[in-house]
Amino acid sequence: MSKIISGFSKFTKEEKIDWLTKNYFHNQTETVNIIKQYWNIDTDLQELHDDFIENTISNFYMPYGVAPNFVINDREYVIPMVVEESSVVAAASLVAKFWSTRGGFKTKVLGTTKIGQVHFMFAGDKKDLETYFNQNKTELYAATASITKNMEKRGGGILAINLVDKTDKLANYYQLHITFETKDSMGANFINSCLEAIAKKFENETIEIVMSILSNFVPECLVRAEVSCKIDELGGENPQKFAEKFYQAVKIAEIEPYRAVTHNKGIMNGIDAVVLATGNDFRAIEAGAHAFASRSGQYTSLSHCSIDNGIFKFWIEIPLALGTVGGLTALHPMAKLSLEMLQKPSARTLMQITAAAGLAQNFAALRALTTKGIQHGHMKMHLQNILNQFEANESEKEIITAYFDKRTVSHSAVVEKLNSLRKPIINWVNFLDENIVRTHLSKLNIASEPNFGSMNAQQMIEHVSAVTQIANGNWVVNTFVSDEKTARRKPFLNTDAELQTGFKASFLAEEPNELKFNSIEEAIDDLADQVALFVKVFTEDDKRTVVHPFFGELDFGDWQKFQVKHFTHHFKQFGLL
């Protein structure tokens, strides 16, 4: 049956979920519960979120954290960050505190120009096109007057409109390259509206408009963030060596694209987190940043380092077309909260804050890479994710966190440690304590059902008694156990391991033995007598050894270890422990 559907967008949210779960999920009830679990209980707030995009069925939560201790241009900040990757917020916070005592971050906006383009085809004489453009340029500005009016009041608007010849790249291809200033707005809708108005005015019978759209490559909407100090102030055992390795790491990212991509991804860990928290478009920022890193024709590092004249300097220049008004920044309650946390910055200030977050994240990553290695700190943070994945309780988290304080964290090591904590504590039976044995066995009756095996309760008691008789010398089992087998099997008696369910010694019959006594009570009395005799015979001859049919020759101590395991095994068989 086809799962192609028409009119899906017209369904109610409940109808969308119903269709989706029936067609794509096996456990519909569980799926619906998960989807609705993430709905906001405030219906008005949920409706607000529903209207952000189309076909909304739920919310996808991301952690919202804060990185304190940032000092940027001598002003203190707590920076909000939305990110799913562990260690990002912690790393940014640690680096912020580190640089807060070394002058903090110094930032500067180098430009705020944004770009839009009208792409069109023209097959005629280029001089005719240039004449037409120059004659109508004023009219192109006028075509956007109603759109740019309010923006111009805030000091923004269209800065320039230029005709660009691209026919050397594509036959008949030209563009109107238009620069904008959008002040505190991201400006996407503003720019696109202007472009469409200009395109409509510019188009004629010889000019074919292909498309009109802003560009996310904004190399002139640029911000710089920098930290610096004397090399001796970097701290550590050998600050000079650290500075040199750090410098080399940055230089490698400048010349090696494979490294540069990962290097810049670390920068974007910090930048994207702030962009998301403030309701800006992180995809546009990502695209523009990576294009900027490739502007020379080779992909390279966005950050740079120098260690001249005893001074360590680390900086970044990156295009960040951000806004603090309009769009999601005005709709999303958490975005508005983020901007208030940042002391209601202008777009220019937000650019500087965001660049500082990216530089902090990059410094943290490079410091880790050139000292302890990136996994040391990252896996320490990831430890909590692993523990949450396996639903560790607070006690388990405390024990395991302390355990890995000076150990290397890995997924398998954490799971192994967690499993060791969760390993059932075995309530070993002290078979030499007659009161304990009688108290447990008195709970049994002829109708007691075993958890495993085919023996009934009395047969089990008589079986344990019979095996004790082997040690006492009252039951001689003609079984040979080679020295090689004894050497291999006997160490088991010194472990915390239990006898496995289903274990059956070769000397035992397939079916349980016929009952020897008239009642369970008589069987218990006999077992007590056999245990007393067990102690007596070994006490009288402290050098006594008796061959166990499976483990081989055992002394008193080894027989005791076996008896503890054997009693515990059969007591568990009937749920007595």
Side-chain angles (χ1 to χ4, degrees), residues 413-537:
V414 174
V415 172
E416 182 179 353
K417 182 61 178 176
L418 187 58
N419 287 340
S420 71
L421 292 179
R422 291 176 172 179
K423 187 177 181 180
I425 298 173
I426 302 169
N427 188 15
W428 297 109
V429 176
N430 181 3
F431 74 103
L432 296 177
D433 189 324
E434 184 176 339
N435 289 331
I436 289 176
V437 172
R438 285 185 178 276
T439 299
H440 282 304
L441 294 179
S442 66
K443 301 173 185 176
L444 299 175
N445 57 57
I446 199 64
S448 298
E449 291 286 338
N451 293 323
F452 55 87
S454 56
M455 289 190 289
N456 63 35
Q458 185 172 332
Q459 287 171 329
M460 179 272 288
I461 297 168
E462 293 185 9
H463 163 74
V464 175
S465 178
V467 173
T468 304
Q469 291 178 48
I470 297 175
N472 298 345
N474 296 335
W475 180 21
V476 178
V477 179
N478 294 319
T479 302
F480 173 75
V481 183
S482 68
D483 291 343
E484 184 271 329
K485 287 183 178 179
T486 297
R488 190 172 68 248
R489 295 171 177 175
K490 191 174 174 180
F492 170 80
L493 298 175
N494 293 315
T495 70
D496 289 331
E498 298 181 79
L499 294 174
Q500 292 184 357
T501 301
F503 172 79
K504 194 177 188 72
S506 59
F507 67 91
L508 297 175
E510 286 298 319
E511 297 299 324
N513 292 331
E514 294 293 326
L515 292 176
K516 181 178 178 180
F517 298 98
N518 294 322
S519 67
I520 286 180
E521 288 72 24
E522 287 184 23
I524 294 173
D525 289 338
D526 174 67
L527 176 59
D529 291 342
Q530 294 300 330
V531 172
L533 181 60
F534 170 79
V535 175
K536 182 176 182 295
V537 296

Side-chain angles (χ1 to χ4, degrees), residues 356-372:
L359 189 66
Q361 192 62 34
N362 196 210
F363 181 87
L366 290 173
R367 181 169 63 176
L369 280 167
T370 56
T371 52
K372 294 181 179 180

Side-chain angles (χ1 to χ4, degrees), residues 14-200:
E14 294 281 2
E15 289 171 338
K16 290 185 177 82
I17 294 170
D18 182 62
W19 178 87
L20 181 68
T21 54
K22 284 180 179 177
N23 283 279
Y24 288 95
F25 293 92
H26 294 297
N27 191 328
Q28 296 176 32
T29 301
E30 180 183 357
T31 302
V32 171
N33 287 339
I34 292 173
I35 290 171
K36 292 187 176 182
Q37 181 181 356
Y38 285 88
W39 287 6
N40 199 297
I41 58 174
D42 184 330
T43 55
D44 290 337
L45 185 58
Q46 184 56 56
E47 287 180 6
L48 174 67
H49 282 270
D50 288 348
D51 290 339
F52 286 164
I53 62 170
E54 307 75 35
N55 295 339
T56 305
I57 61 170
S58 191
N59 306 309
F60 188 95
Y61 291 169
M62 293 274 280
Y64 181 103
V66 295
N69 300 319
F70 271 87
V71 176
I72 304 172
N73 295 339
D74 300 321
R75 189 173 185 180
E76 296 173 352
Y77 290 93
V78 174
I79 297 182
M81 305 181 82
V82 174
V83 64
E84 89 296 343
E85 184 176 333
S86 59
S87 81
V88 170
V89 177
S93 302
L94 287 171
V95 169
K97 189 172 184 180
F98 176 86
W99 284 108
S100 69
T101 60
R102 294 164 174 83
F105 294 82
K106 302 302 180 185
T107 61
K108 182 180 181 181
V109 173
L110 305 179
T112 56
T113 301
K114 297 169 186 176
I115 304 298
Q117 295 169 322
V118 176
H119 305 271
F120 66 94
M121 312 302 287
F122 176 75
D125 190 309
K126 179 182 176 180
K127 290 183 179 180
D128 292 340
L129 178 63
E130 291 174 340
T131 299
Y132 175 76
F133 169 72
N134 291 325
Q135 289 176 343
N136 289 276
K137 193 171 183 178
T138 301
E139 296 299 318
L140 298 182
Y141 282 101
T144 65
S146 61
I147 304 171
T148 59
K149 182 179 179 180
N150 289 332
M151 183 65 74
E152 288 173 349
K153 287 180 180 178
R154 301 200 299 270
I158 298 173
L159 302 179
I161 304 176
N162 295 300
L163 176 66
V164 179
D165 182 353
K166 290 283 184 175
T167 55
D168 61 326
K169 303 290 185 181
L170 178 65
N172 303 327
Y173 169 42
Y174 294 85
Q175 61 182 227
L176 297 181
H177 188 87
I178 306 169
T179 53
F180 295 85
E181 170 59 62
T182 62
K183 304 307 288 184
D184 288 334
S185 169
M186 285 183 286
N189 290 330
F190 168 76
I191 292 173
N192 286 334
S193 295
C194 288
L195 293 174
E196 290 180 0
I198 290 170
K200 186 176 180 180

Side-chain angles (χ1 to χ4, degrees), residues 519-570:
S519 67
I520 286 180
E521 288 72 24
E522 287 184 23
I524 294 173
D525 289 338
D526 174 67
L527 176 59
D529 291 342
Q530 294 300 330
V531 172
L533 181 60
F534 170 79
V535 175
K536 182 176 182 295
V537 296
F538 278 101
T539 301
E540 291 175 348
D541 182 3
D542 59 5
K543 297 188 182 303
R544 174 186 173 86
T545 61
V546 178
V547 175
H548 184 283
F550 182 81
F551 291 103
E553 191 171 11
L554 304 180
D555 61 17
F556 184 40
D558 291 330
W559 266 104
Q560 286 185 82
K561 294 171 186 175
F562 167 75
Q563 289 283 66
V564 168
K565 292 180 184 292
H566 196 228
F567 271 69
T568 301
H569 176 75
H570 286 291

Side-chain angles (χ1 to χ4, degrees), residues 205-222:
E205 63 278 1
T206 61
I207 295 173
E208 180 186 358
I209 303 296
V210 177
M211 56 185 169
S212 306
I213 187 71
L214 64 78
S215 173
N216 290 128
F217 182 41
V218 284
E220 295 178 11
C221 188
L222 200 62

